[in-house]
Amino acid sequence: GFIVLKRLSDAIRDKDRIYALIHGSGLSNDIGGNLLAPDTEGQIRAMTLAYQNSGWTPFDVDHIECHGTGTPVGDGIELKSMQAIWGQEGWTRGQCAIGSVKSMIGHLLTGAGIAGAIKTLLALHRQTLPPSLNFRRPGKGSPLENGPFRIESTATEWKRRKNHPRRAALSAF
């Protein structure tokens, strides 16, 4: 298999199978971070740009495919950055499923973003929220404890919210 990015009008004209539409993207550098210790400011900037470019709010998203490397520092910064974008109110506890393909296949370095994209496309196509492996419970003080995010431990039907299409976000820091 392969992934082809096309203008929607061309894909319709060519009668291609369309798995998803990209509505926005955001790019930023971690000014104070590095490969092993990312920077919250850069992540927030990238996420904010992606939501602005899409015309969505974080609350429009049902699933986020995180960069999620499994390192306490990196994952903690990513979760805190996401929590900052979502704010302190306007959401319900655990309303947004999050995960990372890296729990299943490891880190593919420069190929990690495309692996997360493939997982997200298949989740949308199959209308299934995919699980993350080896997750039991959040650590003490984790943003997962009482925040808007939850981690699926088993594949779960991705139900549409009333009058709302399924929407996902992808982080590939």
Side-chain angles (χ1 to χ4, degrees), residues 58-146:
F59 310 124
D60 293 325
V61 174
D62 303 309
H63 171 69
I64 300 172
E65 174 64 18
C66 299
H67 185 64
T69 60
T71 63
V73 172
D75 289 355
I77 288 173
E78 185 173 10
L79 278 170
K80 287 176 183 161
S81 300
M82 289 168 37
Q83 188 177 43
I85 294 291
W86 280 66
Q88 296 301 314
E89 54 188 37
W91 45 263
T92 58
R93 183 179 177 195
Q95 81 177 52
C96 182
I98 64 171
S100 174
V101 72
K102 290 172 195 72
S103 74
M104 299 169 179
I105 63 171
H107 202 311
L108 300 179
L109 302 176
T110 57
I114 197 65
I118 291 168
K119 178 184 165 198
T120 304
L121 292 170
L122 290 172
L124 287 161
H125 179 69
R126 295 179 178 162
Q127 301 174 13
T128 301
L129 293 168
S132 285
L133 300 180
N134 302 317
F135 178 79
R136 288 173 186 68
R137 64 187 158 283
K140 191 169 178 96
S142 167
L144 291 172
E145 283 187 317
N146 294 304

Side-chain angles (χ1 to χ4, degrees), residues 4 30 33-34 40 45 48 51 59 66 69 76 79-80 84-85 90 93 116 132 139 145 147 152 161 165 167 169 172:
V4 176
D30 279 347
N34 63 54
T40 300
R45 226 177 12 260
T48 299
Y51 285 115
F59 310 124
C66 299
T69 60
L79 278 170
K80 287 176 183 161
I85 294 291
R93 183 179 177 195
S132 285
E145 283 187 317
E152 301 290 338
R161 291 186 267 165
R167 289 183 174 162

